[in-house]
Amino acid sequence: MSHVSEIMESMEYGPSVEDSSAVRDWLARQGTFGHFIGGTFTEPDTTFETRDPATGEVLARVSQGTQADIEAAVAAARQAQGPWAALSGSERARYLYALARHVQKRERFLSVLESLDNGKPIREARDIDVPLVARHFYHHAGWAELRDSQFPGLTPLGVCGQIIPWNFPLLMLAWKVAPALAAGNTVVLKPAEYTPLTALAFAQICQEVGLPAGVVNIVTGDGATGAALVQAPVDKIAFTGSTEVGRGIAQALAGTGRRLTLELGGKSPFVVMEDADLDAAVEGVVDSIWFNQGQVCCAGSRILVAEAVADRFEALLSFRMSRMRVGPPLDKSTDVGAIVDPVQKDRILSICRAATEAGAELVGGQAQEGCFIAPGYLKNIAPANPGMEQEIFGPIATLSTFRTADEAVELANNTRYGLAASVWSESATVATDLAARIKAGVVWINSANLFDAAAPFGGYRESGYGREGGRSGMLDYLAEALISARPEEALQRVSATPSGDAPAPQGIDRTAKLYIGGAQKRPDGGGNYAVPGGVAPLGNRKDIRNAVEAAAKAGKWAAMGGHARAQVLFYIAENLSARAAEFAARTSRAEVEAAIGRCFHYAAWADKFDGANVQAKPGHLVNVIPEPLGVIGIACPNAQPLAGFLSLVLPAIAMGNAVVAIPAQNDPLAVTDLYQVFDTSDLPAGVVNIVTGARDELAVPLAAHEEVAAMWYCGTSDGLAAVDRAAAGNLKPVWAPAARDWTGPDAQGETFLRHATRQKTIWLPYGALPAGSGSAAY
Ligand code: NAI
């Protein structure tokens, strides 16, 4: 036995292993697990092992879900959904509260089980994951209570399929199950094959609290089980996992009109400015990428440090790294636990090998016996090095330098992902400037990896779409209930007539042109097509490319601010009203009235769609800011061409986006004349671009274009399938607003604004210093 004085000398820790006997007894009692379907566990059939990655020991056998299992689970969920949705909000709230309480009562059990199955340090499971799981159920008990008053006119989606990864098994379950249930949906959840055990323990908690049978169903299995769930008749898929699988799911759902949210990979920047508190930033690296074996989608895996402080920062970083304790996950003094599986360990090591072969230098990061890798970082690494581009998903960061804030932003945004960012500077001006310019769904200022049920989480670009947490997370589990639904008009054939040669019936408008970059343009091929009342230009792919290019240059519109944009929209209303009779002759009085109404509506919203300041953790100010997406592609409805066009284009531009719109194929002339209204209303060039022609032929290249951030499509399910497939390539969200009366009240409102924006969640320290730590004594 060492003396205290000796321990003080060496600062060594003795082992302090959490007792796992209760969990092991439970596992021994269970033996082999079936699926949890319709409130009971099925008899196991084909099974596979789940192991403790730290020791390789088999913990349990679980069932491999088949298509039949998925079908049974979806049927149980379907049957349960009506009665579940028919409960009052308060009744649903009580069930969610009971789930929260039971999770809390079993915090120790669940933490140990999670640590055993996943390999993460018990400190992470106990201090972060499981308390957040309880927090999610409490928070959403609140949303269940408030659903009807806070989300009027919205209804649950139905049955939701949820597929989750292995890095936060129980926490991801809570992120997905709690909002779905609060909104009135039922779920079929598939946990990751490496880490199914806490989901099965949660199924038992559902039984204990008497959750109605079929409200939560859990089917275990691998990717094939997940793929069967994607194919099943569910109303939504919520997926967290790799970008590659997410892209495949988006393609598999093409044309189904089912809702999809994706939370995918990341390669998040961790930016350390010259004036940062370097010790705090080093602790940020520990929290962000080392403490959890780097198995976090939002880990700050690309450390970018100001050149002026780079040497000092690296000295502090490598010293701190040398003190990290890699070891048994259940030991309370372990910092870095086991990698989830040998396959994942090999993957991490092979990316590190490729990185060093391409010239980078690896500091630390040694592979150890079993599923362990010591923390490390890659330095002297070029931007195109595989270690810089690929998500390593292990405890290995990259370290590179920059000279100016502009360069830091450029490097931070030089990735196909956009999940999160961590920014370190003692200057509020510098830190918030970076937060505004970095393209990521979550930005932590002088902090890293903070999560809360009230704070929306989700990505930009190839990190996916949709948000989990808070009000926006709830909205992703609710649907509009349309009172004025009506079928879309069938398309008439488009056949080209050469420009200038078209026979000119009486009264024809021969001047109709495309509207690109604030100017009228002839279509690239020069052709026209016959439409009621004249001929319209027949645009092609090249016109779409030109229009997107013009839209991408209209960035200053976003920077103008809501008030300035509102003035332009009011002005459009005034100018449209001055020409009301002329537009009514092309369409109808009702359409023109609706069009003017839309201008007023979105002028009103332009400076009022505010975002929120949410109640997350004390000591932080958490702002949720709606940002424009950039360029939105819009394929407009065929019916009610003027009202349909403006009902979609105006909310998009009110929020600061630029649009490329394809007006009603059958009757585009009601819209081509709008260019005069836009010009006289001081709408900047490129904010609205109009390309007429065959809707579906234009919509596909528009949806596929890299510069287009989101696509809205009104049309047929075949057309939607083609658009979905084109958009899945670079993972952009597609919204297919249901056909409705475009002159009616259903054709405006916050739903449109929500689709026109994406949220950035910014965490700022706020009142976080302990009393007496201020610098001034007075
Ligand atoms: P994965 O994306 O293959 O697995 C995630 C979940 O999807 C699991 O439940 C899996 O069974 C399921 N799945 C797999 N193929 C499917 C398919 N075709 N259809 C439906 N569901 C399917 O991730 P994996 O292989 O476990 O990890 C590979 C890489 O993915 C990691 O190295 C990391 O880069 C990334 N990843 C990202 C995560 C995140 O939180 N964003 C979490 C886990 C992994």
Side-chain angles (χ1 to χ4, degrees):
M1 179 101 172
S2 322
H3 287 287
V4 172
S5 59
E6 284 166 17
I7 294 173
M8 291 300 283
E9 197 61 37
S10 66
M11 289 302 277
E12 265 187 18
Y13 285 72
S16 169
V17 179
E18 184 71 52
D19 178 12
S20 60
S21 53
V23 169
R24 289 180 191 284
D25 289 349
W26 177 77
L27 288 170
R29 275 200 309 279
Q30 304 301 314
T32 303
F33 289 89
H35 308 295
F36 182 63
I37 297 177
T40 53
F41 282 89
T42 60
E43 275 304 312
D45 187 357
T46 310
T47 59
F48 61 95
E49 292 166 344
T50 180
R51 291 171 183 266
D52 172 356
T55 59
E57 170 201 353
V58 174
L59 295 171
R61 296 193 70 86
V62 299
S63 296
Q64 167 64 22
T66 61
Q67 193 180 332
D69 296 322
I70 290 287
E71 281 166 12
V74 171
R78 182 69 66 197
Q79 202 182 351
Q81 201 266 324
W84 177 248
L87 294 180
S88 70
S90 290
E91 285 167 314
R92 276 197 304 278
R94 281 161 208 218
Y95 283 112
L96 285 156
Y97 167 74
L99 290 170
R101 286 290 293 131
H102 280 242
V103 165
Q104 259 179 336
K105 276 191 210 155
R106 289 164 172 242
E107 265 186 356
R108 222 175 73 85
F109 176 90
L110 292 169
S111 311
V112 171
L113 183 61
E114 194 76 305
S115 176
L116 272 177
D117 203 17
N118 168 280
K120 64 173 63 194
I122 183 71
R123 280 195 295 138
E124 186 184 29
R126 183 195 64 193
D127 300 345
I128 299 173
D129 294 24
V130 179
L132 270 173
V133 171
R135 161 83 179 129
H136 265 77
F137 283 105
Y138 278 119
H139 181 75
H140 287 91
W143 280 126
E145 175 76 29
L146 298 175
R147 191 202 74 182
D148 293 345
S149 63
Q150 293 297 302
F151 304 100
L154 299 185
T155 57
L157 302 173
V159 175
C160 301
Q162 307 183 317
I163 301 171
I164 56 173
W166 42 259
N167 51 348
F168 290 92
L170 192 60
L171 183 54
M172 290 295 121
L173 174 149
W175 279 29
K176 292 203 164 28
V177 170
L181 264 48
N185 303 283
T186 55
V187 305
V188 177
L189 177 124
K190 192 204 83 68
E193 51 272 46
Y194 299 139
T195 54
L197 294 178
T198 45
L200 294 163
F202 178 78
Q204 291 191 346
I205 291 178
C206 293
Q207 285 181 320
E208 270 170 27
V209 306
L211 191 73
V215 170
V216 168
N217 303 274
I218 291 169
V219 180
T220 52
D222 60 10
T225 314
L229 182 52
V230 171
Q231 295 297 337
V234 292
D235 303 295
K236 165 171 176 158
I237 292 287
F239 173 79
T240 299
S242 61
T243 296
E244 195 190 340
V245 172
R247 189 178 280 120
I249 292 176
Q251 266 149 2
L253 290 184
T256 61
R258 290 194 216 144
R259 293 272 286 268
L260 173 63
T261 48
L262 295 173
E263 201 267 272
L264 308 174
K267 189 78 181 169
S268 298
F270 187 101
V271 184
V272 184
M273 301 303 285
E274 199 173 323
D275 65 350
D277 174 342
L278 296 186
D279 290 309
V282 166
E283 283 315 305
V285 173
V286 171
D287 288 346
S288 184
I289 187 154
W290 287 340
F291 179 49
N292 37 45
Q293 303 78 247
Q295 299 181 144
V296 186
C297 50
C298 56
S301 52
R302 277 187 303 140
I303 305 170
L304 306 169
V305 55
E307 209 171 76
V309 292
D311 289 346
R312 244 182 78 221
F313 179 77
E314 193 186 343
L316 291 168
L317 188 72
S318 61
F319 177 78
R320 182 68 177 88
M321 189 174 85
S322 68
R323 294 294 186 273
M324 298 285 293
R325 285 182 298 272
V326 183
L330 282 180
D331 191 323
K332 281 168 251 176
S333 42
T334 287
D335 296 317
V336 185
I339 304 296
V340 73
D341 190 84
V343 170
Q344 197 60 21
K345 181 185 178 195
D346 290 347
R347 206 181 150 270
I348 297 166
L349 297 177
S350 84
I351 301 178
C352 290
R353 246 189 330 271
T356 49
E357 278 164 13
E361 183 189 336
L362 179 62
V363 182
Q366 304 83 2
Q368 302 184 355
E369 207 180 312
C371 270
F372 295 91
I373 300 180
Y377 57 90
L378 289 155
K379 61 190 274 197
N380 300 328
I381 184 162
N385 185 295
M388 201 69 169
E389 286 184 334
Q390 290 178 37
E391 187 179 26
I392 300 178
F393 227 69
I396 316 290
T398 63
L399 180 66
S400 38
T401 59
F402 60 85
R403 289 193 184 155
T404 62
D406 286 346
E407 204 190 333
V409 170
E410 202 181 312
L411 288 168
N413 287 335
N414 184 21
T415 168
R416 60 200 170 101
Y417 297 111
L419 193 53
S422 182
V423 169
W424 297 80
S425 165
E426 289 301 289
S427 154
T429 312
V430 170
T432 50
D433 174 57
L434 292 178
R437 290 199 282 158
I438 292 177
K439 293 185 181 134
V442 184
V443 182
W444 292 288
I445 292 178
N446 294 333
S447 54
N449 283 25
L450 295 169
F451 308 101
D452 188 77
F457 184 90
Y460 278 33
R461 306 198 279 196
E462 294 210 5
S463 292
Y465 41 80
R467 291 290 178 268
E468 293 183 310
R471 171 178 281 275
S472 4
M474 281 295 288
L475 284 163
D476 278 333
Y477 281 98
L478 290 163
E480 286 179 279
L482 283 187
I483 44 170
S484 69
R486 61 182 241 176
E488 172 63 344
E489 266 177 27
L491 291 181
Q492 274 146 26
R493 260 174 60 88
V494 167
S495 49
T497 53
S499 175
D501 300 339
Q506 212 64 41
I508 205 166
D509 181 357
R510 299 186 64 90
T511 61
K513 297 214 175 59
L514 309 178
Y515 182 58
I516 295 178
Q520 285 200 285
K521 296 260 163 65
R522 283 192 176 284
D524 175 56
N528 291 320
Y529 71 107
V531 293
V535 290
L538 187 61
N540 66 14
R541 284 172 174 268
K542 179 116 190 297
D543 297 310
I544 289 287
R545 275 205 300 278
N546 293 340
V548 174
E549 211 173 288
K553 287 191 191 134
K556 70 176 188 311
W557 175 246
M560 274 169 55
H563 169 63
R565 289 196 297 270
Q567 285 182 69
V568 173
L569 265 61
F570 279 127
Y571 206 13
I572 293 175
E574 185 183 330
N575 288 319
L576 194 56
S577 149
R579 296 180 56 187
E582 196 187 318
F583 279 97
R586 279 227 189 269
T587 56
S588 67
R589 171 111 344 240
E591 273 206 63
V592 177
E593 280 307 312
I596 295 168
R598 294 290 174 266
C599 296
F600 268 80
H601 184 79
Y602 291 113
W605 269 120
D607 61 352
K608 295 177 193 64
F609 193 66
D610 285 334
N613 185 302
V614 299
Q615 302 253 356
K617 291 182 197 303
H620 296 275
L621 189 66
V622 183
N623 283 304
V624 183
I625 299 172
E627 290 194 338
L629 296 154
V631 179
I632 301 182
I634 305 180
C636 296
N638 228 346
Q640 300 166 303
L642 183 65
F645 177 90
L646 286 175
S647 296
L648 294 167
V649 167
L650 291 175
I653 65 171
M655 293 295 101
N657 299 287
V659 304
V660 174
I662 307 162
Q665 176 177 318
N666 289 3
D667 192 6
L669 298 186
V671 164
T672 48
D673 278 355
L674 276 176
Y675 78 91
Q676 292 161 341
V677 174
F678 292 147
D679 286 352
T680 50
S681 309
D682 299 335
L683 184 72
V687 174
V688 174
N689 304 276
I690 303 172
V691 181
T692 53
R695 181 189 61 205
D696 292 351
E697 280 167 38
L698 297 174
V700 168
L702 186 54
H705 201 295
E706 288 286 335
E707 289 274 359
V708 173
M711 184 74 199
W712 298 358
Y713 175 84
C714 299
T716 59
S717 56
D718 284 351
L720 178 61
V723 163
D724 277 344
R725 275 194 293 274
N730 52 14
L731 282 162
K732 64 176 64 107
V734 176
W735 180 39
R740 66 196 75 197
D741 176 4
W742 292 98
T743 64
D746 278 343
Q748 65 182 23
E750 286 184 68
T751 303
F752 291 80
L753 299 171
R754 218 163 61 74
H755 284 280
T757 50
R758 75 184 135 202
Q759 293 184 325
K760 185 182 253 184
T761 302
I762 300 181
W763 291 71
L764 271 149
Y766 185 70
L769 293 178
S773 61
S775 54
Y778 52 89

